[in-house]
Amino acid sequence: MSENIANLEEQFNRRIANGETIEPKDWMPEKYRKQLMRLISQHAHSEIIGMLPEGNWITRAPTLRRKLALLAKVQDEAGHGHYLYSSAETLGISREEMYDQLLQGKAKYSSIFNYPTLTWADMGMIGWLVDGAAIINQTTMAKCSYGPYSRALLRICKEENFHKKQGMEIIATLIASGLKGKEMVQESLNRFWWPTLMMFGPHDTNSPNSAEMMKWKIKLKSNDELRQRFIDMTVEQALEWGLTIPDPKLKFNGKIRSWETGEIDWEEFNRVINGNGPCNHERMGARRTAHENGSWVREAARAYEEKQRLRNISAA
Amino acid sequence: MSGEIEHDQGDLWEVFIQEDDNAPHTHAGSIRAADPEMAIQNARDVFARRGKAKSMWVVKSDHIKATTPDDVAPFFDPTADKIYRHVQFYKHTLDDELWKKR
Ligand SMILES: [Fe+2]
Ligand SMILES: [Fe+2]
């Protein structure tokens, strides 16, 4: 029996090495399944919780154009959550189970959404930095070995560029509006810079499952590699806008043509990811309330379906 | 339902979209909904937010019969040795010669 499993695992590894995709009904190691479930459900939760910081500003958007853009973006994030929940479901976990884990506070989601959105500039900052970081992560992961996740990510990537660009438009507009606008952007950058760098996760040296996940192609680039790519891209953009990155140790290394940064505050990262960030309680509370408020809709939808079904039976 | 939290996310449906005239309906993904009407509305909201849809089908996932990886080999195998079903099996040089002479 165990020899059989060793055989299957060898076959599985060979398929992955050949660049084949794994589909839901294919045999896979239990650990591959578990890692993917964790990864995809956390990603799905992040999209759903990620709606809250931006939802906070929909009613206060400064113009109708901005309001339409923000509504569309937040609706996209709901869509991303749906793509991801259904791709996680193909692994044998139900959507109800995943919702339960989230609502009972047992599931993790991206730490960035536990920071407050205090000013309108934060809407620009989220699009530019947070969606920008997500694009780097997601375009890389779209080449992962699990078919349903890879396909969901391809769909997501097509929509993310609009998210980033509308954020950059908000920032450029604020900066162009004069000193006050630029100050507002700078203040927002000061709050969001470090938490965005944390989005890429711990250093490679502190990422125990990395090697196996790389072998299985459910991780394709290391956390530090992706973080560096983001830094190099974003610092240039900030300089172009005349903004200051809130890192006194930041300097350009001409030899490797890359920006070197100071150390991330990992204590803060751990605090936030483990439930004690500035907005963790608020986010979970809002999510729970939304779920409870939707309860009668779900009941009504089920009752309607039953009524229709009975009517069709008696008509037949 | 599990724990104290009520969950009824509806049934699982598969969504197929035709994106252009004369294109086939291709699988876009799945959604949850309680009935067919709700399914097609949810499918539109989730998979067709940016035009690019000419037509859409939804079908309950458990109504789909699919092959499984284990039976794939014997199921598709019989076609492997029928090379006469492929264009490469046929040579036409002689026909061309004949054609030129006419
Ligand atoms: Fe997203
Ligand atoms: Fe986004």
Side-chain angles (χ1 to χ4, degrees):
Chain A
M1 185 66 196
S2 63
E3 201 176 308
N4 190 17
I5 288 188
N7 248 335
L8 286 168
E9 189 153 348
E10 204 185 292
Q11 241 177 50
F12 175 85
N13 289 338
R14 211 172 321 124
R15 287 187 63 196
I16 291 196
N18 285 340
E20 288 178 46
T21 48
I22 305 302
E23 294 297 331
K25 288 179 178 174
D26 294 342
W27 185 89
M28 59 187 89
E30 246 347 85
K31 207 167 163 204
Y32 176 86
R33 186 187 297 277
K34 284 275 134 62
Q35 291 280 15
L36 268 174
M37 268 186 197
R38 186 184 53 88
L39 202 70
I40 305 176
S41 61
Q42 283 179 8
H43 190 173
H45 298 325
S46 303
E47 302 283 350
I48 298 301
I49 297 292
M51 290 192 281
L52 295 169
E54 287 177 299
N56 182 29
W57 279 90
I58 289 175
T59 55
R60 293 177 287 164
T63 66
L64 183 58
R65 178 185 153 88
R66 294 278 181 244
K67 188 170 183 161
L68 288 171
L70 197 55
L71 268 169
K73 179 185 189 291
V74 170
Q75 198 189 0
D76 275 354
E77 307 300 4
H80 296 176
H82 282 296
Y83 306 155
L84 293 163
Y85 281 126
S86 47
S87 72
E89 281 189 289
T90 64
L91 291 161
I93 185 171
S94 73
R95 192 171 297 218
E96 286 82 356
E97 264 176 282
M98 289 184 273
Y99 282 6
D100 231 28
Q101 289 171 355
L102 177 66
L103 294 171
Q104 295 187 11
K106 289 179 193 156
K108 289 205 167 94
Y109 54 87
S110 183
S111 56
I112 190 77
F113 301 118
N114 290 316
Y115 290 86
T117 44
L118 304 176
T119 71
W120 173 249
D122 292 355
M123 295 304 99
M125 207 51 66
I126 287 181
W128 176 40
L129 297 183
V130 178
D131 288 89
I135 289 172
I136 289 183
N137 265 329
Q138 290 169 161
T139 47
T140 310
M141 279 304 287
K143 297 174 200 106
C144 77
S145 62
Y146 189 57
Y149 190 30
S150 160
R151 291 190 287 273
L153 285 166
L154 281 178
R155 226 165 236 292
I156 289 174
C157 289
K158 280 191 202 160
E159 300 179 334
E160 288 290 359
N161 288 336
F162 140 64
H163 298 178
K164 185 176 172 186
K165 210 170 162 198
Q166 63 87 38
M168 292 174 83
E169 194 187 278
I170 292 174
I171 293 179
T173 309
L174 279 171
I175 291 176
S177 75
L179 197 58
K180 265 224 155 105
K182 191 172 173 184
E183 271 171 16
M184 201 191 228
V185 170
Q186 182 65 54
E187 187 274 334
S188 173
L189 176 61
N190 294 349
R191 281 182 287 115
F192 274 94
W193 174 252
W194 290 105
T196 307
L197 296 191
M198 294 174 197
M199 277 176 73
F200 294 92
H203 281 316
D204 301 339
T205 44
N206 274 330
S207 206
N209 293 319
S210 264
E212 192 170 50
M213 288 176 68
M214 288 251 193
K215 184 181 83 181
W216 282 336
K217 292 193 186 149
I218 44 182
K219 186 171 191 147
L220 292 121
K221 291 266 159 34
S222 78
N223 295 353
D224 287 330
E225 213 176 331
L226 293 174
R227 181 165 26 236
Q228 193 58 48
R229 195 187 292 175
F230 172 81
I231 291 168
D232 289 336
M233 200 171 82
T234 314
V235 170
E236 300 291 336
Q237 185 62 56
L239 294 178
E240 210 173 294
W241 275 328
L243 297 170
T244 311
I245 300 286
D247 178 359
K249 290 199 175 137
L250 185 80
K251 68 167 195 291
F252 189 68
N253 182 333
K255 255 186 261 161
I256 51 169
R257 307 202 53 73
S258 191
W259 289 89
E260 287 170 359
T261 61
E263 193 48 271
I264 289 169
D265 181 353
W266 293 111
E267 254 171 55
E268 176 179 328
F269 174 75
N270 287 328
R271 199 164 57 237
V272 178
I273 201 84
N274 290 319
N276 299 310
C279 297
N280 295 57
H281 293 282
E282 193 184 325
R283 301 290 182 242
M284 289 312 301
R287 189 66 214 108
R288 264 191 219 111
T289 308
H291 188 83
E292 280 158 21
N293 289 345
S295 179
W296 71 269
V297 180
R298 291 189 292 276
E299 265 172 57
R302 182 54 77 194
Y304 178 78
E305 182 269 334
E306 270 163 23
K307 203 169 110 189
Q308 292 297 104
R309 194 152 36 86
L310 290 176
R311 190 174 291 166
N312 287 341
I313 291 169
S314 62
Chain B
M1 205 188 284
S2 51
E4 283 169 25
I5 306 167
E6 174 276 332
H7 296 287
D8 180 356
Q9 295 301 319
D11 304 317
L12 194 61
W13 302 72
E14 301 304 321
V15 181
F16 298 82
I17 300 177
Q18 182 192 35
E19 291 202 330
D20 285 302
D21 277 335
N22 208 22
H25 286 70
T26 47
H27 185 238
S30 353
I31 45 111
R32 293 295 203 104
D35 68 279
E37 238 67 55
M38 190 180 174
I40 207 147
Q41 278 171 12
N42 286 357
R44 179 204 53 197
D45 292 346
V46 173
F47 293 105
R49 285 192 301 279
R50 285 180 178 76
K52 267 270 167 206
K54 289 267 166 184
S55 158
M56 186 178 256
W57 299 340
V58 291
V59 57
K60 260 197 181 168
S61 308
D62 57 11
H63 288 183
I64 291 179
K65 169 75 181 158
T67 55
T68 64
D70 292 336
D71 60 33
V72 153
F75 188 73
F76 293 121
D77 235 18
T79 62
D81 57 355
K82 294 185 176 62
I83 45 168
Y84 51 88
R85 293 191 176 197
H86 296 274
V87 66
Q88 297 88 332
F89 184 71
Y90 300 94
K91 300 180 175 63
H92 62 284
T93 16
L94 191 59
D95 294 339
D96 284 356
E97 292 292 299
L98 286 174
W99 184 256
K100 271 182 221 155
K101 276 178 198 159
R102 271 162 73 169

